[in-house]
Amino acid sequence: MSTPLLLQALAALSAPALAGAAVFGLRLRRADGAAADREARLRERVAELEARCAELERTASCDPLTGVWNYRHLQLTLDREIERARRAEQADQQDGPHPLAVLLLDIAGFDRVIAEHGRARADAILRDLAQRLGMEIRRSDTLGRYSGEVFLIVLPDTGAAGAAHVAERLVWSVRRHLLLDWSSGPREGRRQQGNGLTAAVGVAVLPEDGTHAAVLLRAADRALADARDAGGDCWREAASSRPLSGSAAERDRSENPGSLSPCAGEDPLTSPGASPLPATLAGPSDVLS
């Protein structure tokens, strides 16, 4: 066979093969494009599901009325922080766990708010006050609704002295918080004797008052009962038998002039010639421990 005829034969045989290869390549490109589209849709779906899961987790951990953490989240957080304190003890080879403070805060006076303004406005005031209390603690701390008008605050790496400062500030914030006012007229001025709301706070510290969540909560609850019995608008520590120290000496600050959380006595901000609010109680960025 001559060379021209051979070339023609090869061309005739290769034409279908080339056409088939072209079709196959086109199908591959289409398949790759479809696979890329499916992968993009799957990624979008996964991102959507992750966002929904995060929202469900947040909703399951938040109190629907106040917007702060709920009882379930508080339990998990307290258990986690106690375990973290124990691990830090082992890692640092200390004589005891890292300090951890637990505060139980009970707000009194909402019965009068409900009687005067109704349940809906009282709920809005409680939510507003809970958000305000959240601004008085560090980002590493945890504030949640324990039950009713009782809130639990978990303060990692905080000893008795730091917990005392926080309790002092929270009691003052409740007493001086401006209640919501939706009237069309001018906003009412701050009442001379506060807003009618007061807080009693019980303080318990790990490891002095216990090394387990249930024990710490019982200790804080006993301290809270002592604060209520003292008339409220004050805080009390759980370990009344604790040796007198710098923090324990502050247990009854109501005897000191200018105390911000007296169980008896005048509010220094409403008494004549009162000095401005101390800088140590000015905001949540202060050192608490």
Side-chain angles (χ1 to χ4, degrees), residues 135-151:
M135 297 172 61
E136 295 295 337
I137 60 177
R138 304 167 302 184
R139 296 178 63 89
S140 59
D141 301 333
T142 301
L143 166 73
R145 190 183 182 198
Y146 195 69
S147 65
E149 286 87 41
V150 179
F151 294 85

Side-chain angles (χ1 to χ4, degrees), residues 69 72-82 142 154:
W69 299 116
R72 172 181 174 273
H73 184 84
L74 289 172
Q75 284 183 313
L76 296 175
T77 299
L78 183 56
D79 291 338
R80 182 179 67 250
E81 291 298 336
I82 291 176
T142 301
V154 180

Side-chain angles (χ1 to χ4, degrees), residues 40-273:
R41 288 195 299 268
L42 286 175
R43 289 180 178 176
E44 292 178 0
R45 183 59 175 170
V46 168
E48 180 183 354
L49 291 175
E50 288 178 348
R52 289 185 179 182
C53 288
E55 178 66 17
L56 289 174
E57 184 177 357
R58 186 193 65 81
T59 303
S61 300
C62 285
D63 177 62
L65 176 60
T66 61
V68 298
W69 299 116
N70 60 15
Y71 180 78
R72 172 181 174 273
H73 184 84
L74 289 172
Q75 284 183 313
L76 296 175
T77 299
L78 183 56
D79 291 338
R80 182 179 67 250
E81 291 298 336
I82 291 176
E83 182 61 28
R84 188 177 71 87
R86 290 174 178 170
R87 290 198 304 268
E89 170 193 4
Q90 298 173 358
D92 298 343
Q93 296 181 351
Q94 294 182 344
D95 295 335
H98 277 202
L100 171 70
V102 174
L103 277 61
L104 276 177
L105 182 147
D106 184 16
I107 303 175
F110 268 97
D111 292 340
R112 184 185 60 80
V113 176
I114 295 174
E116 291 183 4
H117 306 288
R119 171 64 68 176
R121 184 171 183 184
D123 289 344
I125 290 174
L126 181 62
R127 176 184 178 87
D128 184 55
L129 182 55
Q131 298 297 321
R132 182 67 184 88
L133 293 176
M135 297 172 61
E136 295 295 337
I137 60 177
R138 304 167 302 184
R139 296 178 63 89
S140 59
D141 301 333
T142 301
L143 166 73
R145 190 183 182 198
Y146 195 69
S147 65
E149 286 87 41
V150 179
F151 294 85
L152 175 66
I153 303 98
V154 180
L155 307 175
D157 301 319
T158 303
H165 285 294
V166 179
E168 194 89 22
R169 187 159 60 213
L170 294 179
V171 170
W172 183 88
S173 295
V174 171
R175 187 195 316 131
R176 304 298 295 173
H177 183 66
L178 286 176
L179 303 184
L180 295 173
D181 184 8
W182 297 311
S183 62
S184 57
R187 181 163 184 162
E188 297 180 1
R190 189 191 302 261
R191 296 186 181 183
Q192 185 70 8
Q193 298 301 325
N195 53 25
L197 301 179
T198 59
V201 180
V203 180
V205 180
L206 180 146
E208 290 90 340
D209 301 319
T211 56
H212 297 278
V215 179
L216 280 175
L217 289 176
R218 283 198 299 268
D221 193 49
R222 288 194 301 269
L224 176 60
D226 292 341
R228 291 196 192 104
D229 293 341
D233 200 21
C234 62
W235 57 272
R236 286 292 182 267
E237 289 181 341
S240 59
S241 60
R242 186 180 303 162
L244 189 61
S245 62
S247 61
E250 297 177 346
R251 184 181 301 116
D252 196 1
R253 297 174 66 120
S254 60
E255 298 179 357
N256 300 329
S259 168
L260 295 182
S261 60
C263 287
E266 297 185 38
D267 186 341
L269 298 184
T270 59
S271 59

